[in-house]
Coordinates of all heavy atoms in Angstrom, one line a residue:
L1109 N -19.4 1.4 -10.5 CA -18.5 1.0 -9.4 C -19.2 0.8 -8.2 O -19.7 1.9 -7.6 CB -17.4 2.0 -9.4 CG -16.4 2.1 -10.6 CD1 -15.4 3.2 -10.3 CD2 -15.8 0.8 -10.8
D1110 N -19.4 -0.3 -7.6 CA -20.1 -0.5 -6.4 C -19.1 -0.3 -5.2 O -17.9 -0.1 -5.5 CB -20.9 -1.7 -6.4 CG -19.9 -3.0 -6.4 OD1 -18.7 -2.8 -6.7 OD2 -20.2 -4.1 -6.2
P1111 N -19.7 -0.2 -4.0 CA -18.7 0.0 -2.9 C -17.7 -1.1 -2.7 O -16.5 -0.8 -2.2 CB -19.7 0.1 -1.8 CG -21.0 0.4 -2.2 CD -21.1 -0.1 -3.6
G1112 N -18.0 -2.3 -3.1 CA -16.9 -3.3 -3.1 C -15.7 -3.0 -3.9 O -14.6 -3.3 -3.5
T1113 N -16.0 -2.6 -5.1 CA -15.0 -2.2 -6.1 C -14.1 -1.2 -5.5 O -12.8 -1.2 -5.5 CB -15.5 -1.8 -7.4 OG1 -16.3 -2.9 -7.9 CG2 -14.4 -1.5 -8.5
G1114 N -14.6 -0.1 -5.0 CA -13.9 1.0 -4.3 C -13.0 0.5 -3.1 O -11.9 1.0 -3.0
S1115 N -13.6 -0.4 -2.4 CA -12.9 -1.0 -1.3 C -11.7 -1.7 -1.8 O -10.6 -1.7 -1.1 CB -13.8 -1.9 -0.4 OG -13.2 -2.6 0.6
I1116 N -11.8 -2.5 -2.8 CA -10.7 -3.3 -3.4 C -9.6 -2.3 -3.9 O -8.4 -2.6 -3.6 CB -11.1 -4.3 -4.5 CG1 -12.0 -5.4 -3.8 CG2 -10.0 -4.8 -5.2 CD1 -12.6 -6.3 -4.8
I1117 N -10.0 -1.3 -4.5 CA -9.0 -0.3 -5.1 C -8.3 0.3 -3.9 O -7.1 0.5 -3.9 CB -9.7 0.7 -5.9 CG1 -10.2 0.1 -7.2 CG2 -8.8 1.9 -6.2 CD1 -11.1 1.0 -8.2
F1118 N -9.1 0.7 -2.8 CA -8.4 1.4 -1.6 C -7.5 0.3 -1.0 O -6.3 0.8 -0.6 CB -9.5 1.7 -0.7 CG -9.1 2.4 0.6 CD1 -8.5 3.7 0.4 CD2 -9.1 1.8 1.8 CE1 -8.0 4.4 1.6 CE2 -8.6 2.4 2.9 CZ -8.1 3.7 2.8
Q1119 N -7.7 -1.0 -0.9 CA -7.0 -1.9 -0.3 C -5.6 -2.0 -1.1 O -4.7 -2.2 -0.5 CB -7.6 -3.2 -0.1 CG -8.7 -3.2 1.0 CD -9.3 -4.5 1.1 OE1 -9.0 -5.5 0.4 NE2 -10.5 -4.6 1.9
G1120 N -5.8 -2.1 -2.3 CA -4.6 -2.1 -3.2 C -3.6 -1.0 -3.0 O -2.5 -1.1 -3.0
I1121 N -4.3 0.2 -3.0 CA -3.4 1.4 -2.8 C -2.7 1.3 -1.4 O -1.5 1.6 -1.4 CB -4.2 2.7 -2.8 CG1 -4.8 2.9 -4.3 CG2 -3.5 4.0 -2.3 CD1 -5.8 4.0 -4.4
I1122 N -3.3 0.9 -0.3 CA -2.7 0.7 0.9 C -1.7 -0.4 0.9 O -0.6 -0.1 1.6 CB -3.8 0.3 2.1 CG1 -4.9 1.4 2.2 CG2 -3.1 0.0 3.4 CD1 -4.3 2.7 2.7
A1123 N -1.9 -1.4 0.2 CA -0.8 -2.5 0.1 C 0.4 -2.0 -0.6 O 1.6 -2.2 -0.2 CB -1.4 -3.6 -0.6
V1124 N 0.1 -1.1 -1.6 CA 1.3 -0.6 -2.4 C 2.1 0.4 -1.5 O 3.3 0.3 -1.5 CB 0.9 0.1 -3.7 CG1 2.0 0.9 -4.4 CG2 0.3 -0.9 -4.7
V1125 N 1.4 1.1 -0.8 CA 2.2 2.2 0.2 C 2.9 1.4 1.3 O 4.0 1.6 1.5 CB 1.2 3.0 0.8 CG1 1.8 3.9 1.8 CG2 0.6 4.1 -0.4
A1126 N 2.2 0.4 1.8 CA 2.8 -0.4 2.9 C 4.1 -1.2 2.4 O 5.1 -1.2 3.0 CB 1.8 -1.4 3.6
S1127 N 4.0 -1.7 1.2 CA 5.1 -2.5 0.5 C 6.3 -1.5 0.4 O 7.4 -1.8 0.5 CB 4.7 -3.1 -0.6 OG 3.7 -4.0 -0.4
G1128 N 5.9 -0.4 -0.2 CA 7.0 0.6 -0.4 C 7.7 1.1 0.8 O 8.9 1.2 0.8
V1129 N 7.0 1.3 1.9 CA 7.7 1.7 3.2 C 8.5 0.5 3.7 O 9.6 0.8 4.1 CB 6.5 2.0 4.3 CG1 7.0 2.2 5.5 CG2 5.8 3.3 3.8
A1130 N 8.1 -0.7 3.6 CA 8.8 -1.8 4.1 C 10.1 -2.0 3.3 O 11.2 -2.2 3.9 CB 8.0 -3.1 4.0
I1131 N 10.1 -1.8 1.9 CA 11.2 -1.9 1.1 C 12.1 -0.7 1.4 O 13.4 -0.9 1.5 CB 10.8 -1.8 -0.3 CG1 10.2 -3.0 -0.7 CG2 12.1 -1.6 -1.2 CD1 9.5 -3.1 -2.1
F1132 N 11.6 0.5 1.7 CA 12.6 1.6 2.0 C 13.1 1.4 3.4 O 14.4 1.7 3.5 CB 11.8 2.9 2.1 CG 12.5 4.1 2.5 CD1 13.4 4.6 1.5 CD2 12.4 4.7 3.7 CE1 14.0 5.9 1.9 CE2 13.1 5.8 4.1 CZ 13.9 6.3 3.3
V1133 N 12.5 0.9 4.4 CA 13.0 0.8 5.7 C 14.1 -0.4 5.6 O 15.2 -0.2 6.2 CB 12.0 0.3 6.7 CG1 12.5 -0.2 8.0 CG2 11.1 1.4 6.9
T1134 N 13.9 -1.5 4.8 CA 14.9 -2.5 4.7 C 16.2 -2.0 4.0 O 17.3 -2.2 4.5 CB 14.4 -3.7 4.0 OG1 13.1 -4.2 4.5 CG2 15.3 -4.8 3.9
A1135 N 15.9 -1.2 2.9 CA 17.1 -0.7 2.3 C 17.9 0.4 3.2 O 19.1 0.3 3.1 CB 16.7 0.0 1.1
W1136 N 17.2 1.1 4.0 CA 17.7 2.1 4.8 C 18.6 1.4 5.8 O 19.7 2.0 6.2 CB 16.7 3.0 5.4 CG 17.4 4.1 6.2 CD1 17.2 4.3 7.7 CD2 18.0 5.3 5.8 NE1 17.9 5.4 8.0 CE2 18.4 6.1 6.9 CE3 18.4 5.8 4.4 CZ2 19.0 7.2 6.7 CZ3 19.0 6.9 4.4 CH2 19.4 7.7 5.4
K1137 N 18.1 0.3 6.4 CA 18.9 -0.4 7.4 C 20.1 -0.9 6.8 O 21.2 -0.9 7.4 CB 18.0 -1.6 8.0 CG 17.0 -1.0 9.0 CD 16.3 -2.2 9.6 CE 15.2 -1.7 10.5 NZ 14.3 -2.8 11.2

């Protein structure tokens, strides 16, 4: 696993968290 692969995995995790927060905020409103 080179640093590029770790970066892609990290970006994927950040995207999942950001999407979850956006969905939660929309549903809460």
Side-chain angles (χ1 to χ4, degrees):
L1109 294 176
D1110 60 349
T1113 306
S1115 176
I1116 290 173
I1117 292 171
F1118 183 68
Q1119 287 177 8
I1121 292 169
I1122 295 297
V1124 167
V1125 170
S1127 299
V1129 169
I1131 290 171
F1132 178 76
V1133 168
T1134 304
W1136 185 251
K1137 285 182 181 179

